Amino acid sequence: MRWLRKKRVLLLLFTGFTAILFLSTNWMSWFYPIHYKAEIRKHSLTYNIDPFLVAAIIRVETNYKTGRESKKGALGLMQLMPDTATWALEKAKLPDVSLDRLNHESSVNIELGTWYLRSLTRQFEGNRIAVIAAYNAGPGNVQHWLEEGTWDGTEESIKNIPIGETRHYVQRVIYYYDQYTDIYSEF
């Protein structure tokens, strides 16, 4: 009988501890963490880009793992293609940044990726969905789709994006963006 009481007490303590833990913390952030918050915050403020969008793109691209190079050659946390990165480095005028640094240094990669998002935001006049699609498929493709009427650039018509990889990419970024904005009250 004592043995049974001890188990009940332990179960009650465990349940109480678990309830307190879940009620006193933002436990959903365990499932949707944001790494590199300081860098994302800094560069998002500099380039006036929503930090949750930057975090969602990083989550989809590399799940916050540095030094990644895709099969197609995209570099770093934000998976910038070398040609795009070279172009962006020239336009952004970032001193002393090589492609190797871009691949291995999170802050440099986040800065250039955020700068590129600002460039896309200007090009697509603030249309966040078109910006996400252009980040994946390239701005030329997205501009072509919009001009020929293949896709109208809205979230409701994502199913009309002609490239399946881009369609899925946009859906995933929006999913993580929504999760982050629901979970975190501020960045």
Side-chain angles (χ1 to χ4, degrees):
M1 197 56 125
R2 278 186 155 181
W3 173 81
L4 190 57
R5 279 190 203 151
K6 285 183 182 179
K7 285 201 174 217
R8 285 183 186 164
V9 168
L10 287 174
L11 180 63
L12 185 61
L13 286 172
F14 177 75
T15 305
F17 174 75
T18 304
I20 289 170
L21 187 64
F22 280 108
L23 294 175
S24 68
T25 64
N26 188 357
W27 62 275
M28 282 297 289
S29 65
W30 297 346
F31 299 105
Y32 298 98
I34 297 176
H35 303 283
Y36 307 104
K37 279 185 181 181
E39 290 96 335
I40 293 170
R41 186 180 304 117
K42 174 184 172 188
H43 300 306
S44 293
L45 283 171
T46 301
Y47 297 112
N48 195 28
I49 294 294
D50 186 338
F52 292 114
L53 177 60
V54 176
I57 285 175
I58 294 172
R59 173 71 185 248
V60 171
E61 290 288 357
T62 59
N63 199 17
Y64 299 99
K65 292 177 177 66
T66 58
R68 291 273 172 107
E69 187 172 330
S70 75
K71 294 173 190 168
K72 294 180 181 179
L75 304 170
L77 283 174
M78 295 190 74
Q79 291 291 281
L80 295 160
M81 292 300 289
D83 290 344
T84 302
T86 302
W87 171 82
L89 284 168
E90 287 174 18
K91 295 290 185 182
K93 296 179 175 57
L94 295 180
D96 303 324
V97 176
S98 65
L99 291 181
D100 189 56
R101 273 190 71 201
L102 189 65
N103 194 30
H104 293 94
E105 294 181 27
S106 59
S107 184
V108 173
N109 193 275
I110 292 169
E111 181 174 13
L112 192 61
T114 306
W115 180 91
Y116 184 53
L117 283 171
R118 182 187 69 177
S119 174
L120 293 172
T121 299
R122 287 179 175 165
Q123 182 176 350
F124 292 101
E125 300 172 351
N127 180 338
R128 183 172 48 104
I129 307 303
V131 167
I132 296 167
Y135 194 88
N136 180 262
N141 285 332
V142 173
Q143 193 66 48
H144 179 71
W145 301 336
L146 294 172
E147 287 172 358
E148 73 174 13
T150 305
W151 178 52
D152 66 5
T154 64
E155 187 171 351
E156 296 75 31
S157 67
I158 290 172
K159 66 185 178 308
N160 297 332
I161 294 174
I163 299 174
E165 176 190 336
T166 301
R167 186 171 46 250
H168 184 64
Y169 178 85
V170 171
Q171 291 169 334
R172 290 180 61 212
V173 170
I174 291 169
Y175 171 80
Y176 284 111
Y177 178 85
D178 290 344
Q179 293 302 315
Y180 287 151
T181 56
D182 286 347
I183 294 168
Y184 297 93
S185 57
E186 61 184 51
F187 203 93

